[in-house]
Amino acid sequence: MSDIAAALETRGLERSFGALRVTRHVDFRLEPGARHALIGPNGAGKTTFINLVTGALTPSAGTILLGGADVTALAQEQRVKRGLGRTFQINTLFRGLSVLENVCLSIGEHRGLAGGLFRPAGSHRDVLLAAYALLERLRLADDASRLVRELPYGRQRLVEIAVALGLEPTVLLLDEPAAGVPSAESGIIVDVIESLPADLALLIIEHDMDLVFRLARRITVLDQGAILVEGTPQEIAADSRVREVYLGERGGR
Amino acid sequence: MSDTPLAAVVAPPPHDRPLPEAVRLLARRHRPRSYEAIPWLVAIAGYFAFPDYLQLGAQVFIAILFALATDLILGYGGVITLGQAAFFGSGAYVCGIVSAHGWTEPLTLVVIGAAAAALVGLVSGFVVLRTSGLTQLMLTLIVAVMLGEAANKATSVTGGANGLQGMVISPILGIFDFDLYGQTAYIYCLVLLFLGWLAVRIIVYSPFGRTLTGIRESEARMHAIGSPVFRRRLTAYVISAALCGVAGALLAETTSLVALDALSFERSGAVVIMLIIGGLGRLYGAFLGVPIYMILQDRFAQADPTYWYFWIGIFLLAIVLFARGGILGLIERAARLVRK
């Protein structure tokens, strides 16, 4: 283990639903600035792992550390305050609000302004401008005033990332960032992910192997709730156990 | 591009270029618009045009304030409620009981009624807001029914089914006595409605109000951006309850009577119907929905005294099926068509 604190780390993470162990002793380390993918067949426990890390689920045992600090006992929103951002596999946005306001909500929350009762939200011009700058960077500025629900699904996927970036996270969990987008249109999403700041630690949960091998510099394979193997894309591609899980009899697909 | 740290991207850019259109739109949204004067002009005109109906007018204002307060939690907060009468009735009863025991100054009575309702909101909100969907709906209903039954049983305090007797209300500010024609009541309720509307308007456009809308649109995303969802909702619930309490206290003061119907299910239900007719989560839905509901109720009851509720139901069905967003929603759509 290196001396620098990991951006995100789990130690002996366990989660059971009754007799079913869906997360089995996961020791996972996400380095600062990492481009790390988490893959595995259906039912491998990827979603449970994400929910444990974000705080949507409580682990049965084990520890979760963010930037070296133990956050296992912290609620979801406190983990966000400590730099943990996420996107959703299925668009989870403020559909009836404009793209710009979607991002304003997360920036306002991040800057601790969101509880304010008296000053109009629109008078926080720095928030508006920051949100707009973020949209420009993600090539969404032209759609800033449009309602999210009026956007094509692929554009909405970009808003997912924009809202998460408004939190200025140090760790960003991308839950199947290109899910539901035809592969012809997923290119822009890949471009955006590749252009994310180098100091941001990315954990990408993904089914699409092309995407994984394009984006990730490290890959962890989950199978039946446990880490099967971890390594560089080349190592994973060459690993016989991974092939067995994905292609063999036990594989889900 | 990937070398730019994130903080540099979301830092404000230099102020040397004109504001983007999208930014200007949001920055201007909270500014007052000319059409917002319409309800107040109508109300002032009504004072002179219908001198014989001022008492009724005061009751309309009270109903609008009640609906406006409900909109904050239902239309903006997305809390499904069929128990707003709990707060309305608490405000009315506490105001009436205190008044009957000798404290008769009307403005402080309103504050007392609001505080009582806020307390009911705080305590019940702790339970109600931990749930969602049908469970939440039933819990709001149960809170109101329980309070109604308590008021029914505690006859020595509330007068039970006979209603609370013996209220005395002093002149407002020691000058304006409540008169037979309802002139004082009309202006008094209009002023308090205006203050209540102002409060709701400020809240709705504040960052807090925007997060309420965010919670309504996607609770999961609000959690994911680090918003203390429960606390936000509870705050809104208490504010809404306090404003409902103001409306209840006004009813007690202007009629010198509090009856069990202040806590009734009909009142909780009617306010939701009024909002659906006018348009939920739109700040002005209450101003349209309440008068329309009252006029319809009057007309239908004349035409068909036994089954008027049936016709209200038919009308409501038509609104829900063909005019989502209520009358205001229709107007918005029409305006958009005209602009195109």
Side-chain angles (χ1 to χ4, degrees):
Chain A
M1 240 178 238
S2 75
D3 297 339
I4 331 157
L8 170 73
E9 189 178 350
T10 69
R11 290 181 191 157
L13 200 62
E14 292 267 348
R15 171 73 202 203
S16 308
F17 294 107
L20 188 67
R21 277 174 80 200
V22 281
T23 304
R24 299 163 183 243
H25 202 85
V26 172
D27 292 320
F28 178 80
R29 209 178 140 86
L30 186 72
E31 302 296 338
R35 297 291 181 269
H36 200 133
L38 182 67
I39 65 172
N42 285 324
K46 300 188 296 290
T47 305
T48 306
F49 180 73
I50 291 306
N51 286 336
L52 289 171
V53 168
T54 59
L57 281 176
T58 330
S60 312
T63 333
I64 300 161
L65 301 107
L66 261 178
D70 188 344
V71 297
T72 318
L74 294 187
Q76 199 172 353
E77 64 246 29
Q78 288 161 310
R79 297 186 196 187
V80 176
K81 295 272 184 276
R82 295 191 178 210
L84 181 66
R86 73 163 297 181
T87 67
F88 291 83
Q89 181 185 351
I90 296 163
N91 285 341
T92 306
L93 294 162
F94 312 114
R95 290 170 50 79
L97 305 182
S98 73
V99 173
L100 186 62
E101 196 169 10
N102 267 262
V103 180
C104 283
L105 274 172
S106 77
I107 293 181
E109 200 70 63
H110 173 63
R111 297 190 178 177
L113 302 168
L117 267 168
F118 302 106
R119 209 178 131 188
S123 72
H124 290 285
R125 183 153 302 176
D126 47 336
V127 173
L128 294 176
L129 288 173
Y132 192 80
L134 195 51
L135 292 183
E136 279 187 319
R137 184 184 168 126
L138 297 192
R139 299 176 224 170
L140 279 165
D142 290 343
D143 292 327
S145 287
R146 288 178 72 190
L147 299 185
V148 164
R149 64 160 177 257
E150 292 170 355
L151 293 186
Y153 198 85
R155 305 286 287 165
Q156 292 188 22
R157 296 306 286 159
L158 291 177
V159 182
E160 274 282 329
I161 298 175
V163 170
L165 288 180
L167 304 168
E168 297 181 53
T170 51
V171 175
L172 181 56
L173 309 178
L174 294 167
D175 196 352
E176 298 196 30
V181 181
S183 50
E185 292 168 32
S186 66
I188 182 165
I189 295 173
V190 175
D191 288 350
V192 161
I193 295 172
E194 282 180 335
S195 76
L196 289 176
D199 58 345
L200 176 62
L202 283 186
L203 178 59
I204 306 156
I205 297 89
E206 191 50 75
H207 266 309
D208 184 338
M209 285 305 136
D210 291 344
L211 216 72
V212 168
F213 285 103
R214 267 192 72 183
L215 290 170
R217 280 181 237 130
R218 245 191 129 62
I219 297 174
T220 297
V221 185
L222 269 188
D223 182 39
Q224 301 189 349
I227 292 182
L228 181 71
V229 60
E230 185 186 320
T232 64
Q234 291 74 24
E235 289 165 0
I236 297 299
D239 194 292
S240 58
R241 286 168 298 174
V242 178
R243 283 163 187 263
E244 189 192 330
V245 164
Y246 270 91
L247 304 170
E249 294 153 21
R250 288 202 294 127
R253 36 164 72 189
Chain B
M1 203 159 154
S2 63
D3 298 335
T4 332
L6 200 55
V9 177
V10 290
H15 288 275
D16 57 356
R17 61 171 185 174
L19 285 181
E21 177 65 16
V23 170
R24 267 193 300 135
L25 278 176
L26 267 195
R28 275 194 317 224
R29 187 171 53 186
H30 58 273
R31 293 198 190 156
R33 286 158 214 263
S34 49
Y35 68 76
E36 293 185 278
I38 295 173
W40 311 108
L41 294 177
V42 169
I44 292 166
Y47 180 84
F48 298 103
F50 305 105
D52 297 335
Y53 290 95
L54 296 184
Q55 205 54 268
L56 176 67
Q59 302 312 308
V60 173
F61 296 153
I62 291 169
I64 292 176
L65 180 57
F66 181 40
L68 191 61
T70 303
D71 200 17
L72 187 62
I73 195 68
L74 181 66
Y76 286 92
V79 177
I80 309 162
T81 171
L82 265 182
Q84 288 295 96
F87 312 128
F88 185 90
S90 304
Y93 267 107
V94 170
C95 166
I97 291 165
V98 172
S99 146
H101 282 79
W103 181 265
T104 59
E105 203 288 309
L107 287 174
T108 41
L109 281 174
V110 166
V111 173
I112 291 169
L119 188 66
V120 174
L122 184 66
V123 173
S124 64
F126 252 100
V127 183
V128 168
L129 299 177
R130 298 228 178 259
T131 64
S132 62
L134 196 58
T135 317
Q136 189 172 65
L137 184 79
M138 295 316 289
L139 280 176
T140 60
L141 185 67
I142 285 165
V143 170
V145 168
M146 276 168 53
L147 282 176
E149 205 44 51
N152 187 26
K153 289 278 182 220
T155 44
S156 59
V157 188
T158 63
N162 294 325
L164 180 72
Q165 311 287 329
M167 277 186 67
V168 181
I169 301 295
S170 301
I172 299 159
L173 304 171
I175 307 167
F176 306 104
D177 210 348
F178 285 98
D179 57 292
L180 202 58
Y181 303 102
Q183 287 173 345
T184 307
Y186 189 93
I187 295 168
Y188 178 50
C189 291
L190 181 58
V191 168
L192 282 179
L193 170 61
F194 181 76
L195 293 177
W197 167 80
L198 207 60
V200 172
R201 193 185 188 284
I202 289 171
I203 291 169
V204 162
Y205 286 114
S206 73
F208 171 83
R210 302 320 299 163
T211 64
L212 277 189
T213 311
I215 295 170
R216 182 194 68 200
E217 292 284 324
S218 173
E219 192 175 333
R221 178 56 91 166
M222 286 309 278
H223 285 295
I225 64 171
S227 180
V229 169
F230 178 74
R231 207 172 68 214
R232 294 272 158 74
R233 267 204 176 135
L234 187 61
T235 309
Y237 205 64
V238 171
I239 294 171
S240 167
L243 283 171
C244 291
V246 171
L250 286 178
L251 179 76
E253 289 181 350
T254 54
T255 59
S256 287
L257 184 87
V258 184
L260 284 175
D261 78 313
L263 286 163
S264 67
F265 169 71
E266 283 76 12
R267 188 176 296 277
S268 297
V271 75
V272 174
I273 295 174
M274 289 167 177
L275 279 174
I276 292 173
I277 291 175
L280 271 171
R282 279 175 166 80
L283 202 54
Y284 292 96
F287 289 83
L288 275 173
V290 171
I292 291 173
Y293 180 88
M294 285 182 154
I295 291 167
L296 285 180
Q297 185 183 16
D298 184 56
R299 295 291 128 148
F300 288 150
Q302 272 178 24
D304 191 348
T306 333
Y307 296 113
W308 65 270
Y309 232 130
F310 172 79
W311 297 108
I312 291 264
I314 293 285
F315 182 73
L316 190 65
L317 259 178
I319 290 271
V320 173
L321 286 178
F322 305 115
R324 295 290 291 272
I327 306 290
L328 265 185
L330 277 183
I331 295 175
E332 282 166 16
R333 249 171 288 166
R336 227 173 291 153
L337 276 181
V338 169
R339 239 175 283 148
K340 274 178 189 168

